[in-house]
Amino acid sequence: MAARFEGLDFYDVDSLLSEEERMVRDTIREWVEDRVLPIIGDAYVERRFPTELIPEIGELGMLGANLPAEYGCAELNNVCYGLIMQELERGDSGVRSFVSVQGALVMYPIHAFGSEEQRRDWLPGLASGEKIGCFGLTEPDYGSNPAGMITRARETADGWVLNGTKMWITNGSMADVAVVWAQTGEAGDAKGIRGFVVPTDTPGFSARDQKGKLSLLASDTSELVLEDVELPADALMPGTTGIRNPLMCLTQARYGISWGAVGAAMACYHEAVSYAGQRVMFDGVIAGKQIQQVRIADMLTWITQGQLLCLRLGRLKDEGGMTPQQVSLAKRANVDMACDIAREARRLLGANGILAEYASMRHMANLESVYTYEGTHDVHSLILGQAVTGVSAF
């Protein structure tokens, strides 16, 4: 049991995975160990996304990994996709966010709601990493209530003209294309919200870095500004018919986040166990102290619960039975769990826990953003409350 404990598979979850699922996980795990972990601490301190990794991310098939092979994607099942997110966030939330946004928030809507021409034009380049995408939904005054957005798309004889501002946009400053959501009807009309494929070199489109972040420092986060952005008629994604469509995209992203949070928690757990076995205090390693053993036991328990929750959710998704409310439960539970583990690991590390050479405080800061984005913890609580009681608290 000692080896299984050290490998953090206390309930033998490996036996529930297929050979392909284990192979995908192990491939990405090895890549993260070899390519991400040696550089991510410095990238975080330098406040930069490690763009040098993008070609390798594409080559390994991580971008849109669960989308069809005919568009250059890996066409893996959703458990494989989740395991990729888990292993990437063992490295850093910023790396997982890059892949998650590209796949779930850019490639997924183009595939699900776009025209065949849009799919052929964009998906292969996005799958390879030659093209980068971003997702423009959140606005400065409309986060948890995206239906209230004020970004406007006005139809003209030649196509569309977009005006508005989007906030907290991952990949925004380096994107070649943006999936932008805009109101085409009257203010507050949920059915009037449509999606557009917007090349970022279109006149009137600009992106500027978000300043002052204290979290996700190794991630590109931007504000998008659209000033009389003129688009042809075929920039509209024809399958978009209202606010339901961007919410479907968020469900895809939240699914991956549920797995990613487990990966961040695993990274903190491994660091805590390793450190506790080496750090000597009062004539013995702190792994032999009761208070640290309680911390480690709690971490092990919470992560095991999160692993089983994700695996069941993945199987439901592959069977076609997953609901948005089930994703809300997993995102809410696992991110909250990971926040607690990162904090406890940081505390176990003592003063060393605030140094960039250790991962726990970096994960702790990142997870505070993950706790908020793609639906805040409190909003997911209300979604579950409505699912159980049948009464909306919104």
Side-chain angles (χ1 to χ4, degrees), residues 323-326 380-392 394:
T323 69
Q325 293 80 11
Q326 289 169 332
H380 286 298
S381 301
L382 300 184
I383 291 170
L384 293 174
Q386 181 177 355
V388 172
T389 66
V391 181
S392 173
F394 291 100

Side-chain angles (χ1 to χ4, degrees), residues 8-13 262 266 297-310 334 337 341:
L8 199 48
D9 189 12
F10 205 67
Y11 267 40
D12 195 19
V13 174
V262 174
M266 291 168 73
D298 284 342
M299 292 179 194
L300 175 67
T301 302
W302 299 336
I303 291 171
T304 301
Q305 291 169 344
Q307 288 174 316
L308 295 171
L309 186 60
C310 278
N334 283 355
M337 170 272 290
I341 286 179

Side-chain angles (χ1 to χ4, degrees), residues 116-345:
E116 186 60 26
E117 183 179 5
Q118 288 168 338
R119 296 185 192 110
R120 300 288 176 193
D121 285 348
W122 287 106
L123 291 181
L126 290 165
S128 68
E130 295 172 15
K131 300 292 184 182
I132 306 302
C134 67
F135 179 82
L137 177 65
T138 299
E139 297 185 0
D141 296 318
Y142 293 94
S144 295
N145 178 27
M149 71 173 61
I150 58 177
T151 294
R152 179 79 182 172
R154 177 174 55 86
E155 193 168 10
T156 68
D158 300 319
W160 299 88
V161 176
L162 271 59
N163 281 281
T165 303
K166 301 295 184 179
M167 200 77 166
W168 306 113
I169 309 302
T170 299
N171 303 347
S173 297
M174 58 182 174
D176 300 289
V177 63
V179 170
V180 175
W181 301 90
Q183 179 61 263
T184 65
E186 298 299 321
D189 176 13
K191 293 183 179 179
I193 293 170
R194 310 292 297 277
F196 297 84
V197 178
V198 184
T200 59
D201 59 1
T202 305
F205 182 101
S206 61
R208 44 181 175 250
D209 289 342
Q210 185 72 49
K211 302 296 184 182
K213 290 191 303 180
L214 297 175
S215 175
L216 288 175
L217 302 188
S219 180
D220 179 303
T221 311
S222 308
E223 177 185 11
L224 306 183
V225 178
L226 301 102
E227 298 177 303
D228 293 328
V229 174
E230 296 183 10
L231 298 172
D234 61 7
L236 173 70
M237 290 190 291
T240 57
T241 56
I243 190 62
R244 175 175 176 268
N245 302 124
L247 296 183
M248 290 171 66
C249 300
L250 294 177
T251 295
Q252 304 302 312
R254 290 163 181 162
Y255 169 78
I257 289 168
S258 302
W259 286 86
V262 174
M266 291 168 73
C268 295
Y269 164 87
H270 279 298
E271 184 167 78
V273 171
S274 175
Y275 186 87
Q278 298 172 23
R279 176 66 169 171
V280 175
M281 187 64 60
F282 300 114
D283 301 322
V285 293
I286 63 173
K289 308 301 181 185
Q290 290 180 353
I291 193 167
Q292 308 305 353
Q293 289 198 357
V294 169
R295 277 196 169 111
I296 290 168
D298 284 342
M299 292 179 194
L300 175 67
T301 302
W302 299 336
I303 291 171
T304 301
Q305 291 169 344
Q307 288 174 316
L308 295 171
L309 186 60
C310 278
L311 182 58
R312 178 58 184 152
L313 186 67
R315 296 293 184 227
L316 286 170
K317 184 167 171 55
D318 279 325
E319 293 163 6
M322 185 187 81
T323 69
Q325 293 80 11
Q326 289 169 332
V327 178
S328 287
L329 189 152
K331 193 270 185 182
R332 178 181 182 273
N334 283 355
V335 175
D336 194 42
M337 170 272 290
C339 286
D340 287 343
I341 286 179
R343 183 186 63 245
E344 290 305 309

